[in-house]
Amino acid sequence: KIASSQHCSLEFAQAMASSFASANRAKGSLGEAIIYKVFYPSVEGAVARRLLQLFYFALAAPWFIAWWGLIRYAKMAYFFVSGNTFELDYKSILAPLSLKGVVHVGAHVGQEAATYQELKVPKVVWIEAQEDCRKPLEAALQRHCRQEDVVAITAISSQAGPAKLFRTDNSISTSLKPLGEGHKNYFPFIQQAEVQDVETETLNGLFQRLALKPQDFDFMYLDVQGSELDVLHGCEDVLPHIRYIMTEISSEEHYKGGCTEKDLHAFLVRHGFTLLQRQMPPIGHGNAFYAR
């Protein structure tokens, strides 16, 4: 019996070692598939969502622990199973506001188009650095009857000039800044695909080029992977008209040279904004809503 018990223990240890070894192969793993379900659950209802999150964290434990370590895994599991979400509820934030227009920097493929149409936001300027996103973005706007919206495929920064765009294989993590250690540690399945030469322009310059009126926009959405302050430093003509800002924030270096939450907060406070809502998962990357 003792020999049998030792044999079973050895088999269990070997199975766990094999599981954790495969967990380190992040690309195409079960862990990669599940983490998006954790961040963006499809079920309604708090109880159902918590039970589903608990199931996901148990199922993907070998991958998540291999990537994050046991302590961070426990913190992440507690955060999501307790009912928290990866991002603030953008729709519920917008719903009570009467907006003139939105400057949406980091449009990707227009995932928020349905929300803007449902809430009758009059006009949105969609700004995205990746040319590959143009067709799906325009298709989303057409599908949701956003005829008054403007699409600008351009990279926005603090000044105009040549720059590098660090493309990732999942598209949504593409940035004017390379991936930092935080991003690599928490999302090892996301990899840099190529580096592309681009010309940046400021938000002020874009508004002038497209003959847009800053006074027609009072909400700004920033989803630019560490370049939030760069965008804000180049929009001194637009910023005075902005009353609300939804922005990504990072307390860890997810992008090399990216702005920290502390510096971004200090800038916004200096310009009269107050933090109203904040969501920061244990990975050190979340979002925040400001108003003035």
Side-chain angles (χ1 to χ4, degrees):
K1 291 182 179 179
I2 293 175
S4 176
S5 176
Q6 289 175 336
H7 179 69
C8 289
S9 296
L10 179 60
E11 286 186 340
F12 177 76
Q14 290 174 337
M16 288 302 294
S18 175
S19 180
F20 276 91
S22 67
N24 285 317
R25 296 191 291 271
K27 194 65 183 174
S29 68
L30 178 65
E32 178 186 6
I34 288 180
I35 198 169
Y36 290 113
K37 296 180 182 297
V38 167
F39 288 166
Y40 307 105
S42 58
V43 299
E44 298 292 334
V47 175
R49 189 181 303 115
R50 290 181 183 185
L51 290 174
L52 189 59
Q53 296 286 38
L54 183 61
F55 170 73
Y56 286 150
F57 272 94
L59 184 62
W63 287 269
F64 291 175
I65 293 172
W67 299 343
W68 307 331
L70 183 58
I71 294 176
R72 187 60 62 97
Y73 166 80
K75 289 181 177 179
M76 287 282 282
Y78 179 79
F79 180 86
F80 285 102
V81 175
S82 296
N84 293 299
T85 56
F86 179 59
E87 297 179 334
L88 294 173
D89 187 339
Y90 189 42
K91 183 177 178 179
S92 68
I93 287 174
L94 286 177
L97 307 179
S98 178
L99 300 178
K100 294 187 290 184
V102 176
V103 181
H104 194 118
V105 190
H108 198 231
V109 295
Q111 291 91 329
E112 297 80 9
T115 294
Y116 290 142
Q117 185 62 16
E118 181 180 344
L119 298 179
K120 296 180 173 57
V121 176
K123 188 173 185 177
V124 180
V125 178
W126 300 86
I127 304 169
E128 171 56 47
Q130 301 175 89
E131 178 63 38
D132 294 351
C133 292
R134 181 190 295 274
K135 287 186 178 180
L137 172 57
E138 291 177 342
L141 302 189
Q142 183 177 9
R143 188 164 60 250
H144 296 291
C145 305
R146 301 294 306 172
Q147 292 91 346
E148 300 301 317
D149 290 359
V150 176
V151 172
I153 303 299
T154 184
I156 299 296
S157 191
S158 58
Q159 57 186 4
K164 301 290 185 183
L165 184 66
F166 297 88
R167 303 283 302 273
T168 56
D169 55 5
N170 73 335
S171 179
I172 61 174
S173 297
T174 293
S175 173
L176 288 170
K177 303 182 186 299
L179 295 177
E181 289 306 309
H183 201 290
K184 293 176 182 178
N185 290 337
Y186 299 129
F187 309 108
F189 49 85
I190 299 175
Q191 300 164 6
Q192 184 177 299
E194 65 173 319
V195 180
Q196 178 182 340
D197 292 320
V198 296
E199 289 289 327
T200 62
E201 61 182 322
T202 64
L203 203 54
N204 286 343
L206 175 67
F207 266 60
Q208 292 169 9
R209 178 167 66 85
L210 299 181
L212 298 170
K213 298 178 181 179
Q215 59 269 29
D216 290 342
F217 301 88
D218 52 1
F219 194 108
M220 183 178 292
Y221 185 104
L222 294 174
D223 186 3
V224 287
Q225 287 73 45
S227 297
E228 293 79 15
L229 268 181
D230 293 337
V231 173
L232 292 169
H233 283 147
C235 70
E236 57 269 15
D237 295 338
V238 178
L239 191 58
H241 301 276
I242 300 297
R243 295 187 296 147
Y244 309 100
I245 292 180
M246 173 76 94
T247 180
E248 284 191 332
I249 52 175
S250 293
S251 59
E252 299 184 29
E253 189 184 55
H254 280 256
Y255 295 88
K256 292 179 181 178
C259 68
T260 64
E261 179 188 10
K262 180 180 178 182
D263 291 340
L264 179 58
H265 177 78
F267 176 92
L268 292 173
V269 169
R270 284 199 306 272
H271 286 79
F273 288 90
T274 299
L275 176 63
L276 297 185
Q277 294 188 47
R278 175 182 181 270
Q279 188 73 303
M280 179 62 77
I283 59 171
H285 186 74
N287 61 2
F289 175 54
Y290 288 81
R292 65 177 174 186

